[in-house]
Amino acid sequence: MKRHLYTSDHDDFRAVVREFVEREVVGNIEGWEQQKLTPRDVWLAAGKQGILGLAAPEEYGGAGALHDYRYRNVVIEELNRVFATSLAGGFGLQEDIAIPYIVELGNDGQKQRWLPSMVTGEIIGAIAMTEPGTGSDLRGIATSGRRVDGGWIVNGAKTFITNGIQSDIVIVVVKTDPEGGSRAFSLLVVERGMDGFSRGRQLAKVGMDGQDTAELIFEDVFVPDANLLGELGGGLNQLRNLLPLERLSIAAQAVASATSVFDSTVKYVDERRAFGQPIADFQNTRFELASMRTEIDVTRAFVDQAIVAYNASDLTVVDAAEAKLWGSEMQNRVIDRCLQLHGGYGFMLEYPVGRAYQDARVQRIFGGANEIMKEIIGRDIVGRR
């Protein structure tokens, strides 16, 4: 089935992204994974190439494409085409969370302070929600902000923070009113170098080895009034309104990753021989490939429609939850079956399918665990808020 998502402008942009990926990414992936970090120079190169800041308004140096997610999807597809999953995840945090939060919630002064350098890659952003004792239950957040003259004193800890080591600004979910109920939480931007703000361990993960994930520690950190992002006490509603974009990003990553692994598997089974013939000539192999391609194509059709809905400001919380739930489950199913078709070689990390297998597992957890996605969808079905 012919895909109708892109225009010639998107195709031209893809050529730019592909050239960047071949020049700056392909030969460096293994080194980044060994370092457990994607260095800043690739961020700066991406900024120079115009690949970062797609959602930022033009007056701040961006592309002004916040409501044309097709450009972001091109970047996601091209990075996953070469199995640069960690870099895709790091860029995704910047492009689909940090920058949109500042664009949508920030005042003019905040946008001027942060967005131009985020577009160039000089400032790397992160968001800190998850805590050691709190995962998907955001109401259980304990990191506190005590009101003082001119700002807040923040104490607490966050964990599993993507871009946690390299981030220059962190959007932190903080309890600013212990008695505030649903309005107890606010978003405060903590900047590198603030007294009392430190990084804990760089966490060892199952997959995504080239992406820095860390613990963050806040010990009597003074955060000025100028760093309150959005409305005081509006944190949960702000998160709720902006989470659909993060979940769309995860679904898009899922389709792009599954596609790349599937394509490499088709090539492998056509070249690999067993019992005197290519593996692709066995009926079981062809049936597996047929089932996987159908799953990928059907999922892509749904995610493409979700992108169209997002561009039209029509993507609902439920739509995004369905895309994230189905996309991440499909990704894991397909990659697992591709690994099986590789046999023992699939379990070797020198083959892309082995690394992709590790990298895919977190997709069912972050952005809200898939059990939470089911709860969101289920509540909508039975009419519960």
PDB file of all heavy atoms in Angstrom, residues 289-309:
ATOM      1  N   LEU A 289       7.671 -13.989   8.057  1.00  0.00           N
ATOM      2  CA  LEU A 289       7.900 -12.698   7.419  1.00  0.00           C
ATOM      3  C   LEU A 289       6.579 -12.048   7.007  1.00  0.00           C
ATOM      4  O   LEU A 289       6.391 -10.833   7.178  1.00  0.00           O
ATOM      5  CB  LEU A 289       8.805 -12.864   6.197  1.00  0.00           C
ATOM      6  CG  LEU A 289      10.252 -13.301   6.470  1.00  0.00           C
ATOM      7  CD1 LEU A 289      10.983 -13.545   5.148  1.00  0.00           C
ATOM      8  CD2 LEU A 289      10.999 -12.277   7.316  1.00  0.00           C
ATOM      9  N   ALA A 290       5.664 -12.848   6.478  1.00  0.00           N
ATOM     10  CA  ALA A 290       4.368 -12.309   6.055  1.00  0.00           C
ATOM     11  C   ALA A 290       3.602 -11.732   7.233  1.00  0.00           C
ATOM     12  O   ALA A 290       3.022 -10.634   7.151  1.00  0.00           O
ATOM     13  CB  ALA A 290       3.548 -13.401   5.370  1.00  0.00           C
ATOM     14  N   SER A 291       3.605 -12.456   8.346  1.00  0.00           N
ATOM     15  CA  SER A 291       2.893 -11.983   9.536  1.00  0.00           C
ATOM     16  C   SER A 291       3.516 -10.705  10.081  1.00  0.00           C
ATOM     17  O   SER A 291       2.808  -9.759  10.455  1.00  0.00           O
ATOM     18  CB  SER A 291       2.898 -13.075  10.609  1.00  0.00           C
ATOM     19  OG  SER A 291       2.181 -14.211  10.182  1.00  0.00           O
ATOM     20  N   MET A 292       4.844 -10.670  10.119  1.00  0.00           N
ATOM     21  CA  MET A 292       5.526  -9.495  10.671  1.00  0.00           C
ATOM     22  C   MET A 292       5.315  -8.270   9.800  1.00  0.00           C
ATOM     23  O   MET A 292       5.060  -7.171  10.306  1.00  0.00           O
ATOM     24  CB  MET A 292       7.004  -9.791  10.862  1.00  0.00           C
ATOM     25  CG  MET A 292       7.303 -10.727  12.022  1.00  0.00           C
ATOM     26  SD  MET A 292       9.060 -10.850  12.382  1.00  0.00           S
ATOM     27  CE  MET A 292       9.646 -11.879  11.031  1.00  0.00           C
ATOM     28  N   ARG A 293       5.444  -8.438   8.481  1.00  0.00           N
ATOM     29  CA  ARG A 293       5.257  -7.265   7.628  1.00  0.00           C
ATOM     30  C   ARG A 293       3.836  -6.731   7.739  1.00  0.00           C
ATOM     31  O   ARG A 293       3.616  -5.505   7.735  1.00  0.00           O
ATOM     32  CB  ARG A 293       5.572  -7.573   6.164  1.00  0.00           C
ATOM     33  CG  ARG A 293       5.637  -6.276   5.354  1.00  0.00           C
ATOM     34  CD  ARG A 293       6.077  -6.481   3.942  1.00  0.00           C
ATOM     35  NE  ARG A 293       5.007  -7.034   3.107  1.00  0.00           N
ATOM     36  CZ  ARG A 293       5.119  -7.209   1.794  1.00  0.00           C
ATOM     37  NH1 ARG A 293       6.267  -6.911   1.179  1.00  0.00           N
ATOM     38  NH2 ARG A 293       4.130  -7.722   1.092  1.00  0.00           N
ATOM     39  N   THR A 294       2.876  -7.617   7.861  1.00  0.00           N
ATOM     40  CA  THR A 294       1.493  -7.168   8.022  1.00  0.00           C
ATOM     41  C   THR A 294       1.329  -6.378   9.311  1.00  0.00           C
ATOM     42  O   THR A 294       0.697  -5.304   9.329  1.00  0.00           O
ATOM     43  CB  THR A 294       0.538  -8.371   8.002  1.00  0.00           C
ATOM     44  OG1 THR A 294       0.685  -9.073   6.768  1.00  0.00           O
ATOM     45  CG2 THR A 294      -0.901  -7.921   8.160  1.00  0.00           C
ATOM     46  N   GLU A 295       1.891  -6.884  10.404  1.00  0.00           N
ATOM     47  CA  GLU A 295       1.808  -6.160  11.679  1.00  0.00           C
ATOM     48  C   GLU A 295       2.439  -4.779  11.582  1.00  0.00           C
ATOM     49  O   GLU A 295       1.897  -3.788  12.073  1.00  0.00           O
ATOM     50  CB  GLU A 295       2.488  -6.961  12.792  1.00  0.00           C
ATOM     51  CG  GLU A 295       1.671  -8.097  13.348  1.00  0.00           C
ATOM     52  CD  GLU A 295       2.117  -8.475  14.761  1.00  0.00           C
ATOM     53  OE1 GLU A 295       2.058  -7.608  15.656  1.00  0.00           O
ATOM     54  OE2 GLU A 295       2.537  -9.624  14.955  1.00  0.00           O
ATOM     55  N   ILE A 296       3.604  -4.718  10.949  1.00  0.00           N
ATOM     56  CA  ILE A 296       4.292  -3.431  10.820  1.00  0.00           C
ATOM     57  C   ILE A 296       3.476  -2.468   9.976  1.00  0.00           C
ATOM     58  O   ILE A 296       3.282  -1.295  10.341  1.00  0.00           O
ATOM     59  CB  ILE A 296       5.699  -3.624  10.217  1.00  0.00           C
ATOM     60  CG1 ILE A 296       6.598  -4.403  11.177  1.00  0.00           C
ATOM     61  CG2 ILE A 296       6.333  -2.268   9.892  1.00  0.00           C
ATOM     62  CD1 ILE A 296       7.917  -4.845  10.554  1.00  0.00           C
ATOM     63  N   ASP A 297       2.982  -2.945   8.838  1.00  0.00           N
ATOM     64  CA  ASP A 297       2.238  -2.069   7.934  1.00  0.00           C
ATOM     65  C   ASP A 297       0.955  -1.548   8.574  1.00  0.00           C
ATOM     66  O   ASP A 297       0.606  -0.369   8.423  1.00  0.00           O
ATOM     67  CB  ASP A 297       1.910  -2.810   6.633  1.00  0.00           C
ATOM     68  CG  ASP A 297       3.128  -2.986   5.734  1.00  0.00           C
ATOM     69  OD1 ASP A 297       4.174  -2.366   6.019  1.00  0.00           O
ATOM     70  OD2 ASP A 297       3.031  -3.754   4.751  1.00  0.00           O
ATOM     71  N   VAL A 298       0.235  -2.418   9.263  1.00  0.00           N
ATOM     72  CA  VAL A 298      -1.005  -1.996   9.911  1.00  0.00           C
ATOM     73  C   VAL A 298      -0.708  -0.986  11.024  1.00  0.00           C
ATOM     74  O   VAL A 298      -1.412   0.030  11.173  1.00  0.00           O
ATOM     75  CB  VAL A 298      -1.774  -3.223  10.457  1.00  0.00           C
ATOM     76  CG1 VAL A 298      -2.939  -2.783  11.332  1.00  0.00           C
ATOM     77  CG2 VAL A 298      -2.274  -4.085   9.304  1.00  0.00           C
ATOM     78  N   THR A 299       0.334  -1.251  11.789  1.00  0.00           N
ATOM     79  CA  THR A 299       0.705  -0.319  12.860  1.00  0.00           C
ATOM     80  C   THR A 299       1.142   1.016  12.280  1.00  0.00           C
ATOM     81  O   THR A 299       0.777   2.086  12.797  1.00  0.00           O
ATOM     82  CB  THR A 299       1.823  -0.906  13.723  1.00  0.00           C
ATOM     83  OG1 THR A 299       1.433  -2.199  14.181  1.00  0.00           O
ATOM     84  CG2 THR A 299       2.113  -0.017  14.922  1.00  0.00           C
ATOM     85  N   ARG A 300       1.935   0.982  11.211  1.00  0.00           N
ATOM     86  CA  ARG A 300       2.379   2.230  10.590  1.00  0.00           C
ATOM     87  C   ARG A 300       1.180   3.056  10.118  1.00  0.00           C
ATOM     88  O   ARG A 300       1.165   4.289  10.264  1.00  0.00           O
ATOM     89  CB  ARG A 300       3.304   1.941   9.421  1.00  0.00           C
ATOM     90  CG  ARG A 300       3.841   3.219   8.775  1.00  0.00           C
ATOM     91  CD  ARG A 300       4.681   2.969   7.540  1.00  0.00           C
ATOM     92  NE  ARG A 300       5.909   2.274   7.880  1.00  0.00           N
ATOM     93  CZ  ARG A 300       6.177   1.016   7.559  1.00  0.00           C
ATOM     94  NH1 ARG A 300       5.272   0.304   6.888  1.00  0.00           N
ATOM     95  NH2 ARG A 300       7.308   0.461   7.913  1.00  0.00           N
ATOM     96  N   ALA A 301       0.186   2.390   9.563  1.00  0.00           N
ATOM     97  CA  ALA A 301      -1.001   3.114   9.100  1.00  0.00           C
ATOM     98  C   ALA A 301      -1.679   3.846  10.255  1.00  0.00           C
ATOM     99  O   ALA A 301      -2.107   5.000  10.123  1.00  0.00           O
ATOM    100  CB  ALA A 301      -1.977   2.151   8.424  1.00  0.00           C
ATOM    101  N   PHE A 302      -1.778   3.177  11.410  1.00  0.00           N
ATOM    102  CA  PHE A 302      -2.397   3.813  12.575  1.00  0.00           C
ATOM    103  C   PHE A 302      -1.549   4.971  13.083  1.00  0.00           C
ATOM    104  O   PHE A 302      -2.060   6.054  13.379  1.00  0.00           O
ATOM    105  CB  PHE A 302      -2.617   2.788  13.700  1.00  0.00           C
ATOM    106  CG  PHE A 302      -3.350   3.358  14.878  1.00  0.00           C
ATOM    107  CD1 PHE A 302      -4.729   3.346  14.923  1.00  0.00           C
ATOM    108  CD2 PHE A 302      -2.660   3.919  15.954  1.00  0.00           C
ATOM    109  CE1 PHE A 302      -5.414   3.885  16.008  1.00  0.00           C
ATOM    110  CE2 PHE A 302      -3.334   4.452  17.032  1.00  0.00           C
ATOM    111  CZ  PHE A 302      -4.715   4.432  17.060  1.00  0.00           C
ATOM    112  N   VAL A 303      -0.237   4.759  13.168  1.00  0.00           N
ATOM    113  CA  VAL A 303       0.648   5.811  13.676  1.00  0.00           C
ATOM    114  C   VAL A 303       0.685   6.986  12.703  1.00  0.00           C
ATOM    115  O   VAL A 303       0.709   8.150  13.124  1.00  0.00           O
ATOM    116  CB  VAL A 303       2.057   5.248  13.952  1.00  0.00           C
ATOM    117  CG1 VAL A 303       3.031   6.365  14.323  1.00  0.00           C
ATOM    118  CG2 VAL A 303       1.995   4.220  15.088  1.00  0.00           C
ATOM    119  N   ASP A 304       0.677   6.724  11.403  1.00  0.00           N
ATOM    120  CA  ASP A 304       0.612   7.814  10.427  1.00  0.00           C
ATOM    121  C   ASP A 304      -0.648   8.653  10.643  1.00  0.00           C
ATOM    122  O   ASP A 304      -0.604   9.897  10.578  1.00  0.00           O
ATOM    123  CB  ASP A 304       0.617   7.264   8.997  1.00  0.00           C
ATOM    124  CG  ASP A 304       2.007   6.849   8.525  1.00  0.00           C
ATOM    125  OD1 ASP A 304       2.979   7.026   9.290  1.00  0.00           O
ATOM    126  OD2 ASP A 304       2.114   6.345   7.381  1.00  0.00           O
ATOM    127  N   GLN A 305      -1.757   7.990  10.896  1.00  0.00           N
ATOM    128  CA  GLN A 305      -2.994   8.732  11.159  1.00  0.00           C
ATOM    129  C   GLN A 305      -2.913   9.503  12.476  1.00  0.00           C
ATOM    130  O   GLN A 305      -3.475  10.601  12.596  1.00  0.00           O
ATOM    131  CB  GLN A 305      -4.189   7.783  11.161  1.00  0.00           C
ATOM    132  CG  GLN A 305      -4.588   7.290   9.780  1.00  0.00           C
ATOM    133  CD  GLN A 305      -4.846   8.434   8.823  1.00  0.00           C
ATOM    134  OE1 GLN A 305      -5.690   9.301   9.078  1.00  0.00           O
ATOM    135  NE2 GLN A 305      -4.116   8.456   7.714  1.00  0.00           N
ATOM    136  N   ALA A 306      -2.209   8.955  13.448  1.00  0.00           N
ATOM    137  CA  ALA A 306      -2.005   9.679  14.705  1.00  0.00           C
ATOM    138  C   ALA A 306      -1.161  10.927  14.467  1.00  0.00           C
ATOM    139  O   ALA A 306      -1.399  11.983  15.082  1.00  0.00           O
ATOM    140  CB  ALA A 306      -1.339   8.767  15.735  1.00  0.00           C
ATOM    141  N   ILE A 307      -0.171  10.830  13.581  1.00  0.00           N
ATOM    142  CA  ILE A 307       0.645  11.995  13.228  1.00  0.00           C
ATOM    143  C   ILE A 307      -0.224  13.052  12.549  1.00  0.00           C
ATOM    144  O   ILE A 307      -0.134  14.248  12.867  1.00  0.00           O
ATOM    145  CB  ILE A 307       1.821  11.569  12.320  1.00  0.00           C
ATOM    146  CG1 ILE A 307       2.828  10.750  13.127  1.00  0.00           C
ATOM    147  CG2 ILE A 307       2.498  12.788  11.700  1.00  0.00           C
ATOM    148  CD1 ILE A 307       3.916  10.101  12.285  1.00  0.00           C
ATOM    149  N   VAL A 308      -1.069  12.635  11.633  1.00  0.00           N
ATOM    150  CA  VAL A 308      -1.977  13.571  10.972  1.00  0.00           C
ATOM    151  C   VAL A 308      -2.896  14.234  11.994  1.00  0.00           C
ATOM    152  O   VAL A 308      -3.141  15.453  11.945  1.00  0.00           O
ATOM    153  CB  VAL A 308      -2.795  12.838   9.888  1.00  0.00           C
ATOM    154  CG1 VAL A 308      -3.905  13.733   9.339  1.00  0.00           C
ATOM    155  CG2 VAL A 308      -1.893  12.362   8.760  1.00  0.00           C
ATOM    156  N   ALA A 309      -3.402  13.443  12.940  1.00  0.00           N
ATOM    157  CA  ALA A 309      -4.271  14.001  13.984  1.00  0.00           C
ATOM    158  C   ALA A 309      -3.511  14.990  14.862  1.00  0.00           C
ATOM    159  O   ALA A 309      -4.036  16.054  15.215  1.00  0.00           O
ATOM    160  CB  ALA A 309      -4.850  12.869  14.831  1.00  0.00           C
TER     161      ALA A 309
END
